[in-house]
Amino acid sequence: KCNFPTILNLFLTDLNKDEIMHKFKFTILLAIIAIFTFTGCAKKYIEMVEKDTTYKYSSAKAVCGETELDKKLEGYINTFLKKKDQYGDDLIIKCDIQRTKNGVRILRHLTLGIGGAGKYETLAVINLVDQSGKEVAKFNVTVEIRYGFLGGSADRALPITAKNIYKIVTKDFM
């Protein structure tokens, strides 16, 4: 018979408990560094220009501009809505990416984004319109990628922008 707790106790008594604690702390430190290195930091700013929340809508869909970035943003927003079964024609999310600032990825990597060096920035202007064409709200979402693995990927900005738009729409208007 093999008694697992007995074998484990024999193993632990052979090792120095201080050495185990030291290895544990070192592993935790490495995990924290890896999380910091392999993930990016995105900062968001939301500016609500005007809003009318007197009516709650049961569904929404994004209809964005004609550029490739606008279409990608539209796809991300509609994906969020479809996942929660909230996609429909009650509220139209008109989105237009007004500004993208690519920044310098190597600066984000070398400076860890301190002081915003090399940051990537996207500004999306959002208009919410009901079925009758009445403007319900207007707001701006700005997302900055400041650092991350090898400088942080600017591709992360659009999904983060879309998620913030989705959260605002569902929280305040649905």
Side-chain angles (χ1 to χ4, degrees), residues 70-83:
D70 287 331
K71 291 301 175 190
K72 283 183 180 181
L73 181 61
E74 177 181 314
Y76 286 123
I77 296 168
N78 286 334
T79 299
F80 283 120
L81 291 165
K82 288 174 183 175
K83 280 183 184 176

Side-chain angles (χ1 to χ4, degrees), residues 154-171:
D155 295 337
R156 293 186 56 248
L158 286 180
I160 293 168
T161 303
K163 187 167 190 143
N164 284 293
I165 294 167
Y166 169 78
K167 285 180 178 180
I168 292 167
V169 170
T170 55
K171 181 180 142 237

Side-chain angles (χ1 to χ4, degrees), residues 106-124:
I106 192 70
L107 277 177
R108 289 194 300 270
H109 177 65
L110 293 175
T111 65
L112 298 176
I114 294 171
K119 72 181 174 186
Y120 175 89
E121 183 178 274
T122 300
L123 167 67

Side-chain angles (χ1 to χ4, degrees), residues 41 48 56 62 92 112 116 168 171 174:
C41 175
M48 189 64 69
K56 297 290 182 184
I92 306 298
L112 298 176
I168 292 167
K171 181 180 142 237
M174 295 177 80

Side-chain angles (χ1 to χ4, degrees), residues 41-45 120 122 142-146 160 164:
C41 175
K43 195 171 191 178
K44 68 177 187 269
Y45 304 97
Y120 175 89
T122 300
T142 303
V143 171
E144 298 175 351
I145 303 294
R146 293 181 168 258
I160 293 168
N164 284 293

